[in-house]
Amino acid sequence: MSVLLVFLAATLATLGVAALLGRRRLRAALPLALRGGLSVMFLVTGVSHFVGLREDLVAMVPPVLPDPELLVTVTGVLELAGAVGLLLPRTAAWAAGGLALLMVAMFPANVYAATAGLTLSGEPATALLPRAAMQVLYVASAITVVITHWRRAVLSDWFGKLITVLPRVYGPAAAMPEGPNAGIVLVSRLQLRSAGHVPGFLLASLRLRWALRQAPGAVWIDLAAQPLTATFWTWSRWTDEDAMRRYIRSELHAHVTRTYRPHVQESTFRSLPAAQAPTTWPEIRGMLSATTRTSSSR
């Protein structure tokens, strides 16, 4: 029962700190509070695997399992590692998921302690029904952390980095003979405030790409999208700067700009002679990312 009090006290304390720091909405503060509660709880129980309750915990290991001393040591290390992982936003989901599985795996030890009449610190082990209810609370809290952090832990690391490059669209000037270094290149990076605006912005971008097919002076345009991070890049080539600016001032382009300007969190544009322009998407993304960092640091 003392473990439950530790969990509740740490959760409420974290919730209070979150409120003082401005996270007043329960929906935003609760996952953080659960992370704090679980972290403190597993820090306490993890340490008890080595000092204080080690002998009692070894006795709780069901007789059918081998090497109780090693099992208590391993589970203690895992609990301590999970407690630390819960404190880091990028690892919170993985830590919470691992701890939820660990709690399920260790529950037979609690069943054995309750049914065999074992003691912890000289006190009888918690009865099976209350212990099962507490276990459900802990596992549900861990699952809540997983659900609220899975996007940051998984999508931002793996799927969030996937980039889709649409087929190149050619403009009227593509058929005109020109040297490989002639003209001007415009590259851009736009990050929207929310992924909810991605579908509409993508449709608007497709309309702009289609309109470029008729834009005087347009050679070609490429569009790359990272939907899960709401980020878009454009890479276009023009015969000269005047042609590029006429397209930017066109009615359709101006309409899209006005519509989505409030929804753009960050935008970066660079125009440069074709002879000095990057020639691959990684170069373009690197250049625009560097430009964004430089601009934000000023």
Side-chain angles (χ1 to χ4, degrees):
M1 194 65 69
S2 60
V3 173
L4 176 62
L5 295 178
V6 169
F7 170 71
L8 293 177
T11 300
L12 291 175
T14 308
L15 194 62
V17 171
L20 291 176
L21 294 178
R23 296 194 179 193
R24 303 181 185 277
R25 295 179 59 186
L26 181 63
R27 182 178 178 182
L30 182 59
L32 178 63
L34 292 176
R35 282 170 52 199
L38 289 170
S39 180
V40 173
M41 183 187 78
F42 279 108
L43 179 63
V44 171
T45 59
V47 170
S48 70
H49 282 234
F50 301 95
V51 294
L53 296 177
R54 182 174 175 83
E55 292 183 3
D56 292 338
L57 294 176
V58 170
M60 286 177 59
V61 177
V64 297
L65 297 177
D67 205 339
E69 291 270 356
L70 177 61
L71 289 176
V72 170
T73 298
V74 171
T75 52
V77 171
L78 292 176
E79 288 186 9
L80 292 174
V84 175
L86 284 168
L87 298 176
L88 306 175
R90 292 182 66 84
T91 59
W94 297 108
L99 289 171
L101 294 175
L102 183 63
M103 284 187 283
V104 172
M106 293 193 303
F107 188 67
N110 294 290
V111 175
Y112 176 68
T115 56
L118 300 182
T119 61
L120 288 172
S121 294
E123 299 291 333
T126 305
L128 185 57
L129 188 57
R131 179 62 195 178
M134 287 187 286
Q135 198 80 351
V136 169
L137 172 64
Y138 303 147
V139 172
S141 299
I143 291 175
T144 300
V145 174
V146 172
I147 292 174
T148 54
H149 287 77
W150 75 281
R151 181 173 181 177
R152 175 177 294 180
V154 179
L155 296 184
S156 63
D157 286 347
W158 294 347
F159 303 116
K161 293 181 180 178
L162 294 178
I163 296 176
T164 301
V165 179
L166 299 183
R168 175 169 291 183
V169 169
Y170 291 91
M176 300 172 57
E178 61 176 5
N181 295 326
I184 189 171
V185 167
L186 174 68
V187 292
S188 69
R189 177 184 182 273
L190 297 99
Q191 184 172 8
L192 303 179
R193 297 184 183 277
S194 168
H197 299 298
V198 167
F201 187 80
L202 179 58
L203 290 175
S205 299
L206 295 177
R207 291 177 60 196
L208 289 173
R209 290 172 78 247
W210 184 261
L212 183 135
R213 293 163 57 100
Q214 308 298 325
V219 181
W220 47 257
I221 186 171
D222 285 349
L223 174 67
Q226 200 173 55
L228 294 178
T229 61
T231 306
F232 292 80
W233 293 267
T234 66
W235 177 14
S236 58
R237 185 169 175 179
W238 306 82
T239 55
D240 53 69
E241 187 170 355
D242 288 340
M244 177 187 72
R245 293 191 179 280
R246 283 196 301 271
Y247 174 74
I248 292 175
R249 291 194 297 263
S250 67
E251 182 178 350
L252 176 60
H253 196 284
H255 171 73
V256 171
T257 300
R258 286 194 304 270
T259 301
Y260 284 94
R261 182 179 289 118
H263 307 307
V264 174
Q265 176 177 312
E266 195 174 78
S267 62
T268 305
F269 297 85
R270 283 199 64 182
S271 60
L272 58 168
Q276 302 174 15
T279 57
T280 65
W281 274 116
E283 291 176 344
I284 290 173
R285 293 196 302 271
M287 180 183 69
L288 293 175
S289 296
T291 302
T292 301
R293 289 194 295 270
T294 301
S295 299
S296 60
S297 65
R298 293 176 180 173

